[in-house]
Amino acid sequence: MELENTKEMNSSFNQKQHPHRRYNPLLDEWILVSPQRANRPWQGQTEKVTEEKLPSHDPNCYLCSGNVRVNGDKNPDYKGVFVFENDFGSLMKDNVEFSYEKSDFFTLKPERGINRVICFSENHSLTLPEMEVDDIKKVVDVWQEQYKDLGSEDYINHVQIFENKGSVMGCSNPHPHGQIWAQSSIPSTVLRTQENLKKYFDKNGRSLLEDYVKKELEAEERIILENEDFVVLVPFWAVWPYETMIISKRKAENILEFSDSEKFSLAEIIKNLTTKYDNLFEISFPYSAGIHQSATDGKPHPEWHFHMHFYPPLLRNAEVKKFMVGYEMLAEPQRDITPEQSAEILNNLSTIHYKSM
């Protein structure tokens, strides 16, 4: 088949109109941005999804207070935050004997770890944006306690705190909760981030994210929220349509360094960000979110700077999702709507939850 001959046209580059690649210094990788495919900000959803109204207590929910879990253990009649070890954890504490045999193609090693579940509230019907800031602050307190507790184990070298919200993100239970996976190895993505943070720190003597936040505050193109201690922004290299990062203004290696007032600031900005997400399409907005912070391997990590990623999959409405397929799986991440466009849309949303309006 012959392709039609087209005359090449030279024009000045415009990042709002022309395909381009953006560099992610945290992962040392590139993303393809194709703004010409969606070069106007989206004006709203095309249809609404009717959400199921959840009860404050579900007798069939294994996370609700007083209920019996699948393994036969009974939850206490807890109020507020409740933590327990995952009944079906992906990691095990067992220290097994292992004989290492080097191989070019079949290398493996045992992995030890601990999986815990954190229920944010006894109220089955709530999510983070619908909780009070004081109650979210209690969740942050527990994150701090768990990071310290798990990180003190000799064989735990990384503590991953995260939340999957919504069935589209694989969350099988709507009860407000998150997870912690603590393990003996530093996971691949975190290790890549650590290596790139260290390269920058060794070269400049400063935190990469501290310098990055200063530049973003000067540019004022991708800032969503800001308070005394934290900034929320759409990263210049964002992959997901409405991806954001919470970054501490002060370089803190991990959550243990935060004061009580800083933890309150973090809780406040989490509530405001997740409220904006819910307001975008007036639904309980799905996402995967998690904290990146220094390893618990007993080594100094001056390169680390606390930050929290939010990866939501929705694109144009409550039912149109961004999938990583084809080119994204085989070549590199790609997005249509630019980070600046999504930042503008998120920035214009209220921090008052739509259910309260």
Side-chain angles (χ1 to χ4, degrees), residues 206 209-219 249:
R206 298 186 306 276
L209 286 177
E210 187 175 28
D211 286 354
Y212 172 62
V213 165
K214 288 178 182 177
K215 292 295 185 182
E216 285 285 22
L217 289 171
E218 290 173 6
K249 288 183 176 179

Side-chain angles (χ1 to χ4, degrees), residues 167-270:
S167 58
V168 70
M169 302 309 293
C171 182
S172 59
N173 191 320
H175 192 101
H177 73 285
Q179 297 184 56
I180 302 179
W181 290 21
Q183 61 189 100
S184 52
S185 298
I186 300 176
S188 302
T189 299
V190 181
L191 187 59
R192 284 173 63 195
T193 300
Q194 178 171 289
E195 289 169 349
N196 289 307
L197 290 174
K198 190 173 187 307
K199 284 179 187 176
Y200 188 94
F201 186 85
D202 289 347
K203 179 181 178 181
N204 301 284
R206 298 186 306 276
S207 153
L208 184 155
L209 286 177
E210 187 175 28
D211 286 354
Y212 172 62
V213 165
K214 288 178 182 177
K215 292 295 185 182
E216 285 285 22
L217 289 171
E218 290 173 6
E220 295 185 334
E221 284 187 289
R222 290 167 291 273
I223 302 296
I224 307 302
L225 292 162
E226 179 184 2
N227 62 21
E228 187 176 349
D229 303 302
F230 295 90
V231 172
V232 179
L233 53 81
V234 176
F236 176 77
W237 52 81
V239 171
W240 296 95
Y242 293 101
E243 176 182 335
T244 58
M245 283 174 66
I246 299 176
I247 308 173
S248 62
K249 288 183 176 179
R250 179 175 70 85
K251 190 184 92 69
E253 294 178 19
N254 56 62
I255 200 169
L256 296 182
E257 297 182 20
F258 290 151
S259 66
D260 209 55
S261 63
E262 285 174 316
K263 288 187 289 181
F264 186 88
S265 289
L266 178 57
E268 179 184 54
I269 215 160
I270 287 172

Side-chain angles (χ1 to χ4, degrees), residues 78 81-85 116-119 142 145-146 180:
Y78 68 89
V81 188
F82 168 54
V83 182
F84 65 93
E85 294 208 5
R116 289 179 180 170
V117 176
I118 303 178
C119 295
V142 171
E145 293 164 6
Q146 290 293 312
I180 302 179

Side-chain angles (χ1 to χ4, degrees), residues 84-313:
F84 65 93
E85 294 208 5
N86 197 318
D87 302 323
F88 301 97
S90 298
L91 296 162
M92 299 171 66
K93 299 178 183 179
D94 302 359
N95 186 17
V96 296
E97 292 186 8
F98 176 68
S99 177
Y100 174 74
E101 294 182 12
K102 188 174 181 179
S103 170
D104 290 334
F105 304 109
F106 307 113
T107 301
L108 62 80
K109 65 171 185 175
E111 187 70 8
R112 295 176 70 191
I114 301 169
N115 296 117
R116 289 179 180 170
V117 176
I118 303 178
C119 295
F120 299 155
S121 169
E122 78 282 359
N123 191 329
H124 182 78
S125 67
L126 295 181
T127 58
L128 286 175
E130 298 171 271
M131 291 170 59
E132 298 297 326
V133 174
D134 286 339
D135 292 328
I136 299 174
K137 198 265 184 180
K138 293 174 184 175
V139 175
V140 176
D141 288 338
V142 171
W143 286 345
Q144 190 179 60
E145 293 164 6
Q146 290 293 312
Y147 176 84
K148 182 178 182 179
D149 178 50
L150 290 165
S152 66
E153 295 282 349
D154 289 340
Y155 68 94
I156 296 297
N157 292 309
H158 177 73
V159 178
Q160 183 61 63
I161 300 168
F162 66 98
E163 177 196 6
N164 293 324
K165 181 188 173 194
S167 58
V168 70
M169 302 309 293
C171 182
S172 59
N173 191 320
H175 192 101
H177 73 285
Q179 297 184 56
I180 302 179
W181 290 21
Q183 61 189 100
S184 52
S185 298
I186 300 176
S188 302
T189 299
V190 181
L191 187 59
R192 284 173 63 195
T193 300
Q194 178 171 289
E195 289 169 349
N196 289 307
L197 290 174
K198 190 173 187 307
K199 284 179 187 176
Y200 188 94
F201 186 85
D202 289 347
K203 179 181 178 181
N204 301 284
R206 298 186 306 276
S207 153
L208 184 155
L209 286 177
E210 187 175 28
D211 286 354
Y212 172 62
V213 165
K214 288 178 182 177
K215 292 295 185 182
E216 285 285 22
L217 289 171
E218 290 173 6
E220 295 185 334
E221 284 187 289
R222 290 167 291 273
I223 302 296
I224 307 302
L225 292 162
E226 179 184 2
N227 62 21
E228 187 176 349
D229 303 302
F230 295 90
V231 172
V232 179
L233 53 81
V234 176
F236 176 77
W237 52 81
V239 171
W240 296 95
Y242 293 101
E243 176 182 335
T244 58
M245 283 174 66
I246 299 176
I247 308 173
S248 62
K249 288 183 176 179
R250 179 175 70 85
K251 190 184 92 69
E253 294 178 19
N254 56 62
I255 200 169
L256 296 182
E257 297 182 20
F258 290 151
S259 66
D260 209 55
S261 63
E262 285 174 316
K263 288 187 289 181
F264 186 88
S265 289
L266 178 57
E268 179 184 54
I269 215 160
I270 287 172
K271 177 178 174 64
N272 288 339
L273 172 60
T274 53
T275 296
K276 280 179 175 283
Y277 276 149
D278 277 13
N279 287 345
L280 183 58
F281 301 128
E282 295 190 358
I283 59 161
S284 183
F285 203 80
Y287 57 72
S288 281
I291 294 171
H292 275 174
Q293 55 191 326
S294 59
T296 56
D297 55 2
K299 300 176 183 177
H301 287 287
E303 72 278 5
W304 266 101
H305 188 138
F306 177 98
H307 58 286
M308 188 171 183
H309 293 279
F310 283 78
Y311 300 130

